[in-house]
Amino acid sequence: MAEYNRVSECVGVITLRNPPVNALSAAVRQGIVDAVQRALSDPNVKSVVICGQNGIFCGGADIKEFGSNMTGHPLIPMIHAIESANKPVVAAIEGSALGGGLELALGCHYRIAHSKARLGLPEVSLGLLPAAGGSQRLPRLIGVPAALNLITTGRHVTAAEALQLGIVDQVTDHNTVDAAVKFALSVAGRSLDPRRISTHPCPQQPDLDALFEEVMQKVRQSARGAIAPIACVQAVRAAATLPYAQGMERERELMATLFTSGQARALQYCFFAERAVGRWRMPSGARWDTSKSRPVHKAAVIGLGTMGRGITVALAQTGLSVIAVETQEKQLMEAKQAISGMLERGAKRRGVAPALDGVIYSQNIQAVADVDLVIEAVFEDIALKTKVFQQLSAVCKPGTLLCTNTSALDVDQLASETPNPELVVGMHFFAPAHVMKLLEVVYGPRSSPQAVATAMQLGKKMGKASVAVGNCRGFVGNRMLKPYIEEAFFLLEEGATPELVDQALEEFGFPMGVFRMSDLSGLDVGWRVRKGDGLVEPGTASGRFARIRQGRRYSPLGDLLCEEGRFGQKTGRGWYQYDKPGSRVARSDPWLHSFLGAYRAQHGLVARRIDHQEVLERCLYALINEGFHILDDGIAAGPEDIDVIYVSGYGWPRHRGGPMFYANMVGLAKVLERLEHYQQLHPEVPHLQPSSLLRRLVASGSPPIHKWGEAIKKLHSQL
Ligand SMILES: CCC/C=C/C(=O)SCCNC(=O)CCNC(=O)[C@H](O)C(C)(C)COP(=O)([O-])OP(=O)([O-])OC[C@H]1O[C@@H](n2cnc3c(N)ncnc32)[C@H](O)[C@@H]1OP(=O)([O-])[O-]
């Protein structure tokens, strides 16, 4: 899987052939080894070029091989053989040179990149480090600070930045392989000693210890429990302080620890899960590969509150022309100013011109008559949304797709109010909509596959992790969040504090625990929903029965805080206290603690000691249990869909793979046993009742997560 040719009489060209990204599989590695040997032993060949087919140099080691017993020629000696070759080897980098691909290029004596190429060492995002010598060569080539930055973040750099950093020797706008061949001819016969990076010392760096300490601190803070970024710093430290051979030994040891860690498995699972969700399917049998999306040239957003503004920015940044509609003049002017600011800031960050002219503002819904797709983002009220949908159906040209941005309302009910329900889908964005990666594309039983395909395609264009999900209360993300939050409330009743619950969840890896999060998003949001559900009862009734509502355990704690005007950060008080309304630093609040004490006394609850383990099991297993219900109901097509939703939109630590992956890692039997345990203790809490799918999976021998789909199909066919 590496082709060898001789061109211009004396240049051996080795082309990696392993579509789609020329990953370094065992066959490719063997191909390179054979071709290099051939080139070096051919007296007519004076220099060598390595390139990749189809405009991509190499996407790195073959990640699929990591899950199996890796066999074949190892990467490190292959790269060493190239570096120690006595003929110049030039890497011709088009498309991407990532991970092992860039490490291969660093083993070459020269690197020529196309101006559109991207280079990087993203191993850290897969729970690994650049362990084919990358952690040792890159600091020698570009210095410790720049190498630390690239290796610990895994960010990709443009060819221009790579040239500036000294990673590549030349950038071309023309045919890269031709440029590399020409270059290879020009350097034939020159001494190669200065070009062998592993023989260089690391560039001197003043205050090396202070630098590493500072970076390590920063990395520990942002890693939130992930071990790979820390190992990356340790590996670069070895490059800076040890001779190359010893540095390589340290790289190997660190990699061995990472490679077998659960975190690497989780992160690699996330990589494939993110790609798997693009291959969506609906219970009707409609699928991504048999459903054609419609072209969208012009879109509209109705309602320019926080969500509508973010959605307008996200659409305009893709280059679409957008009609932004807000009926009140004052709100329209405010929105215009805010959207222009967001577009300008975004463009500055990305180094492009702001798409200000791409947005046309209007007070009149008639302005959307000729758009291809509308995203309605008015207030979360079914009567209002229904009215807007009816107006849109009358105004829009035939075939316009009508999307609703809702986090909870019934998409099918809305669709049924329009003459063409097949054109209606939900697009559940997350605030701020131009920043947050997640998009739930919600289909009802009548949504056409074409409508789903179009919304999914648009999501991809906006750079979102788009996941197609069925229609139910809360869809996937918020439906699973409900039992998680309820368990956290129950834990407070039983003796925990917001600080204890949040600490357990933050140590697990969430950026914020449930109570800090609730203070940030506003306690009034859930209060309004609970009121709508008829759950909120004013008054001070006490005892157990005051906490049983609609036949199940209910905690009115959140309602009581709202009655006190404690809505979270925006009022300066919530589960924590803040210096002033709008301030972000949460401080423990003695008032809250005595309030909890009084509440427990009023309801005859005796506080007991609750540890982190119980917090995690009660909150997370309740959430996971709901995930199994969702799979059983066919609302999510597979565990990957749920996991991508949680990792991209709900702060689930990526190095733990997502809730369903985590359940698989913990062991389904263990999750079932703990749910049964808590259900016995709390029989009035239905969400602790283990899902029948979880029971059936355990009964069928707890298949690994990649086999759940098959198992679910089989279990359903047996029903
Ligand atoms: C051992 C020592 C140290 C070395 C470690 C490493 O190198 S670790 C590696 C470090 N390297 C990285 O982390 C780079 C990872 N890759 C990427 O970042 C991107 O794929 C891209 C930028 C190369 C192309 O983006 P794009 O949007 O054009 O395309 P796309 O993303 O949709 O992928 C298309 C298909 O290719 C598949 N696939 C991709 N890469 C690999 C791989 N390495 N392997 C296997 N498969 C891979 C991908 O699953 C998908 O398959 P599907 O779903 O069609 O069956």
Side-chain angles (χ1 to χ4, degrees):
M1 296 240 248
E3 192 179 272
Y4 178 72
N5 285 299
R6 208 169 79 199
V7 303
S8 302
E9 308 266 302
C10 57
V11 180
V13 176
I14 301 170
T15 309
L16 314 192
R17 290 197 186 282
N18 185 15
V21 302
N22 298 323
L24 293 163
S25 63
V28 173
R29 297 196 302 273
Q30 190 59 54
I32 297 173
V33 169
D34 294 344
V36 168
Q37 255 170 22
R38 218 169 132 186
L40 298 185
S41 57
D42 182 346
N44 294 317
V45 169
K46 302 289 178 239
S47 42
V48 182
V49 166
I50 302 183
C51 60
Q53 75 167 0
N54 292 339
I56 174 162
F57 181 71
C58 176
D62 188 342
I63 306 167
K64 290 193 190 92
E65 280 186 356
F66 291 166
S68 59
N69 278 340
M70 285 179 74
T71 52
H73 201 96
L75 208 48
I76 294 176
M78 179 192 94
I79 295 173
H80 268 287
I82 292 169
E83 191 185 58
S84 49
N86 55 5
K87 300 177 185 177
V89 185
V90 182
I93 300 171
E94 292 174 312
S96 301
L98 298 173
L102 180 54
E103 294 180 286
L104 165 65
L106 292 174
C108 297
H109 305 112
Y110 299 94
R111 286 155 294 280
I112 312 278
H114 189 268
S115 53
K116 294 214 167 87
R118 316 273 296 181
L119 298 89
L121 293 175
E123 285 88 339
V124 68
S125 59
L126 297 167
L128 304 173
L129 60 90
S135 75
Q136 304 304 299
R137 283 197 180 88
L138 194 65
R140 285 177 161 77
L141 184 65
I142 65 171
V144 170
L148 270 173
N149 174 274
L150 257 61
I151 293 173
T152 58
T153 62
R155 76 183 178 93
H156 301 183
V157 297
T158 59
E161 188 179 349
L163 183 66
Q164 195 197 359
L165 287 170
I167 300 175
V168 299
D169 302 288
Q170 208 179 80
V171 173
T172 177
D173 283 325
H174 305 290
N175 183 308
T176 317
V177 179
D178 289 350
V181 168
K182 203 165 145 201
F183 187 90
L185 284 167
S186 73
V187 293
R190 281 204 205 156
S191 161
L192 290 172
D193 286 344
R195 305 301 309 176
R196 296 190 175 105
I197 300 171
S198 73
T199 63
H200 298 184
C202 242
Q204 289 290 314
Q205 177 69 37
D207 274 339
L208 202 60
D209 283 341
L211 171 74
F212 276 106
E213 204 165 304
E214 187 194 322
V215 175
M216 189 59 107
Q217 246 181 33
K218 213 165 108 191
V219 160
R220 273 191 209 283
Q221 229 169 35
S222 58
R224 293 194 280 119
I227 54 176
I230 292 159
C232 284
V233 178
Q234 291 168 329
V236 175
R237 189 180 183 106
T241 53
L242 298 174
Y244 177 74
Q246 282 175 39
M248 285 300 285
E249 183 51 28
R250 184 79 180 118
E251 184 189 89
R252 192 194 59 74
E253 285 165 10
L254 289 164
M255 178 66 162
T257 315
L258 294 180
F259 201 74
T260 49
S261 74
Q263 293 197 1
R265 272 169 59 201
L267 287 158
Q268 288 154 31
Y269 164 83
C270 285
F271 176 86
F272 289 115
E274 278 163 357
R275 282 147 183 88
V277 297
R279 296 189 284 272
W280 56 270
R281 56 191 193 277
M282 288 159 66
S284 63
R287 300 159 45 105
W288 67 284
D289 51 352
T290 52
S291 313
K292 199 166 177 311
S293 65
R294 293 156 138 258
V296 176
H297 303 294
K298 205 167 177 185
V301 178
I302 313 290
L304 300 180
T306 313
M307 290 309 289
R309 293 174 190 185
I311 296 168
T312 304
V313 171
L315 289 170
Q317 282 177 346
T318 66
L320 280 181
S321 132
V322 188
I323 316 271
V325 179
E326 173 62 62
T327 47
Q328 305 298 315
E329 188 182 355
K330 184 166 169 278
Q331 272 99 319
L332 183 71
M333 286 307 122
E334 282 170 6
K336 182 175 179 181
Q337 202 178 7
I339 290 168
S340 303
M342 288 193 267
L343 283 172
E344 271 162 1
R345 286 190 296 277
K348 195 168 164 199
R349 252 194 323 274
R350 290 178 298 142
V352 295
L356 298 176
D357 295 343
V359 187
I360 295 167
Y361 297 86
S362 174
Q363 268 179 271
N364 190 348
I365 203 162
Q366 299 285 343
V368 309
D370 69 339
V371 301
D372 307 303
L373 176 144
V374 184
I375 301 176
E376 160 282 307
V378 300
F379 192 68
E380 216 42 353
D381 171 50
I382 191 82
L384 177 63
K385 285 191 187 266
T386 303
K387 196 172 143 216
V388 172
F389 264 61
Q390 284 165 347
Q391 284 176 325
L392 289 170
S393 304
V395 165
C396 292
K397 68 181 181 190
T400 298
L401 236 66
L402 303 183
C403 309
T404 174
N405 170 60
T406 175
S407 57
L409 296 180
D410 184 344
V411 172
D412 193 38
Q413 187 185 340
L414 217 48
S416 66
E417 304 286 346
T418 72
N420 300 101
E422 72 282 4
L423 295 174
V424 175
V425 288
M427 286 181 96
H428 179 202
F429 287 85
F430 290 74
H434 59 302
V435 176
M436 288 292 287
K437 250 195 108 52
L438 178 62
L439 174 68
E440 282 181 321
V441 171
V442 186
Y443 55 80
R446 285 174 286 185
S447 308
S448 72
Q450 196 183 40
V452 177
T454 308
M456 288 293 283
Q457 182 65 29
L458 185 61
K460 193 173 172 192
K461 220 169 152 186
M462 288 187 279
K464 306 280 180 208
S466 311
V467 187
V469 300
N471 180 36
C472 66
R473 184 87 196 266
F475 315 132
V476 169
N478 286 348
R479 176 169 159 184
M480 289 170 69
L481 206 59
K482 190 164 176 266
Y484 166 83
I485 295 172
E486 281 182 355
E487 278 306 310
F489 282 15
F490 296 160
L491 285 162
L492 293 193
E493 291 185 336
E494 292 165 35
T497 59
E499 292 84 343
L500 175 107
V501 173
D502 282 354
Q503 198 191 354
L505 294 167
E506 286 162 19
E507 278 177 12
F508 180 79
F510 282 97
M512 272 186 210
V514 60
F515 293 107
R516 287 214 296 136
M517 190 45 153
S518 165
D519 271 1
L520 172 69
S521 47
L523 273 68
D524 50 325
V525 180
W527 192 34
R528 208 177 310 122
V529 174
R530 293 192 296 274
K531 275 184 183 165
D533 289 344
L535 281 163
V536 176
E537 290 172 7
T540 51
S542 57
R544 179 171 170 268
F545 290 107
R547 293 179 296 105
I548 297 286
R549 296 193 191 164
Q550 299 179 357
R552 49 185 290 176
R553 181 172 170 184
Y554 178 79
S555 170
L557 278 171
D559 307 336
L560 295 173
L561 256 63
C562 288
E563 281 172 21
E564 295 283 331
R566 298 178 70 109
F567 291 168
Q569 286 184 7
K570 59 182 149 190
T571 56
R573 296 275 185 282
W575 299 105
Y576 295 91
Q577 57 175 326
Y578 300 84
D579 287 343
K580 55 178 190 311
S583 140
R584 304 221 150 200
V585 183
R587 282 188 292 111
S588 185
D589 189 348
W591 179 91
L592 197 273
H593 296 140
S594 49
F595 160 79
L596 285 176
Y599 172 88
R600 289 184 199 117
Q602 184 196 345
H603 290 279
L605 293 158
V606 181
R608 61 184 174 82
R609 206 184 145 271
I610 290 169
D611 60 15
H612 282 197
Q613 184 67 17
E614 181 173 351
V615 172
L616 293 182
E617 288 182 350
R618 296 260 307 265
C619 293
L620 303 184
Y621 292 177
L623 176 147
I624 288 166
N625 196 36
E626 196 60 40
F628 281 110
H629 283 302
I630 284 171
L631 287 176
D632 213 7
D633 296 348
I635 295 294
E640 295 87 355
D641 300 75
I642 295 177
D643 286 335
V644 169
I645 287 172
Y646 260 81
V647 168
S648 351
Y650 289 83
W652 185 282
R654 198 177 164 85
H655 62 268
R656 293 193 189 266
M660 308 321 280
F661 181 87
Y662 179 68
N664 178 64
M665 287 285 270
V666 170
L668 299 188
K670 165 94 188 289
V671 175
L672 175 60
E673 181 266 308
R674 297 315 288 157
L675 280 167
E676 280 171 336
H677 166 79
Y678 289 118
Q679 217 261 320
Q680 268 177 10
L681 294 176
H682 308 283
E684 70 287 24
V685 180
H687 61 232
L688 292 173
Q689 169 89 44
S691 108
S692 82
L693 175 62
L694 173 60
R695 285 190 190 287
R696 284 177 283 148
L697 284 171
V698 172
S700 67
S702 298
I705 194 161
H706 63 275
K707 297 242 166 95
W708 288 6
E710 250 169 65
I712 294 169
K713 229 187 265 165
K714 207 160 130 201
L715 292 169
H716 278 176
S717 68
Q718 286 164 359
L719 285 178

